Amino acid sequence: MSTGNQGEGPRYYPSGPSTGQYAQYPQNPYPHGGAQGVPPGGDPQAGQHGGQHQSGQYPGGQFAYSPYAEASPPGDAEPRQVRRPGTMVGALVLLVLSAVPFLVFGVLGLFLPISKDMFPPELGLDAMLTQYNVTFDQFLQAVRLLLALVAALALVYMGLAVAAFAGRSWGRVAVTALTVLFCGFLLLNLGGGGASSLLVIAPVVLAVAGVVLMFVRPSANWFAARR
């Protein structure tokens, strides 16, 4: 048993055959802030085993790993968005304007009535029809089919221009290839002059300017940054 004055700490007497008694421990040998229920010389963390392990801590203040712990929130840093240069806006406007005349011409040709008087005399339409042994109605069907193809190609051209404007490299390559083909065809079949030649040259100039704007330095850097 423990003896001593009230102002002193607990004392322990060893057990043995000389005393015939065994050491007894008070319920709380550390009344001033000690760990309750911890035997002398034992691990002072043993009495806190249940409380600490339930909270996910090991002795020494370390936290136990839990596979269900919440993942750390993602960083605030986001990939930097490259701003579209003004050259791409200008390229889209020029390319669309170059295709508008062909779209309008093709759509109107499908619905407006067409007669022989609408063809210029120097074309020699009657002689051509006689030479190939076709009627005017058959010729008119072929003309309307050609106009429908022109309108469809104009829409495709506009769609590719929009794709390039959206940053698609394949759109820029495709609209460039079509521009080379269309402009080459129109220039090779250009008439002697007059208003009809001006109507052909104007779309060619607009298309070429639009393609050039897609390959200047600001546009090229923008396409490279989007890869």
Side-chain angles (χ1 to χ4, degrees), residues 98-151:
S98 67
V100 167
F102 299 97
L103 178 63
V104 174
F105 182 71
V107 172
L108 292 179
L110 292 175
F111 299 101
L112 293 179
I114 300 177
S115 62
K116 286 185 179 181
D117 299 335
M118 300 178 64
F119 295 91
E122 57 269 15
L123 182 62
L125 180 59
D126 292 334
M128 184 178 60
L129 295 178
T130 302
Q131 179 181 358
Y132 292 99
N133 194 22
V134 294
T135 63
F136 179 74
D137 291 338
Q138 294 174 339
F139 172 76
L140 187 58
Q141 290 180 358
V143 170
R144 292 189 184 278
L145 181 61
L146 180 61
L147 293 175
L149 180 61
V150 169

Side-chain angles (χ1 to χ4, degrees), residues 5-227:
N5 297 330
Q6 296 181 353
E8 300 179 357
R11 299 180 179 178
Y12 304 93
Y13 296 94
S15 61
S18 60
T19 60
Q21 298 179 353
Y22 293 92
Q24 296 183 0
Y25 303 101
Q27 294 182 354
N28 187 6
Y30 304 98
H32 302 288
Q36 184 176 0
V38 180
D43 186 1
Q45 301 292 337
Q48 302 177 1
H49 175 77
Q52 290 183 344
H53 284 193
Q54 289 178 359
S55 61
Q57 290 186 346
Y58 284 122
Q62 298 180 355
F63 288 88
Y65 169 76
S66 174
Y68 303 101
E70 296 182 358
S72 58
D76 296 335
E78 296 180 356
R80 184 172 61 91
Q81 298 294 333
V82 182
R83 186 176 180 180
R84 180 184 291 108
T87 53
M88 287 302 303
V89 179
L92 176 65
V93 173
L94 293 177
L95 292 174
V96 170
L97 289 178
S98 67
V100 167
F102 299 97
L103 178 63
V104 174
F105 182 71
V107 172
L108 292 179
L110 292 175
F111 299 101
L112 293 179
I114 300 177
S115 62
K116 286 185 179 181
D117 299 335
M118 300 178 64
F119 295 91
E122 57 269 15
L123 182 62
L125 180 59
D126 292 334
M128 184 178 60
L129 295 178
T130 302
Q131 179 181 358
Y132 292 99
N133 194 22
V134 294
T135 63
F136 179 74
D137 291 338
Q138 294 174 339
F139 172 76
L140 187 58
Q141 290 180 358
V143 170
R144 292 189 184 278
L145 181 61
L146 180 61
L147 293 175
L149 180 61
V150 169
L153 290 176
L155 287 176
V156 171
Y157 190 81
M158 291 181 180
L160 293 175
V162 173
F165 178 76
R168 305 296 189 269
S169 298
W170 56 265
R172 182 175 64 159
V173 173
V175 77
T176 301
L178 287 181
T179 300
V180 173
L181 293 176
F182 290 162
C183 291
F185 176 79
L186 292 175
L187 293 177
L188 290 176
N189 293 274
L190 188 63
S196 59
S197 299
L198 182 61
L199 292 177
V200 173
I201 293 177
V204 170
V205 173
L206 293 175
V208 172
V211 171
V212 170
L213 286 179
M214 289 194 303
F215 286 91
V216 296
R217 183 178 297 275
S219 300
N221 293 340
W222 181 65
F223 276 102
R226 292 182 60 87
R227 292 179 181 175

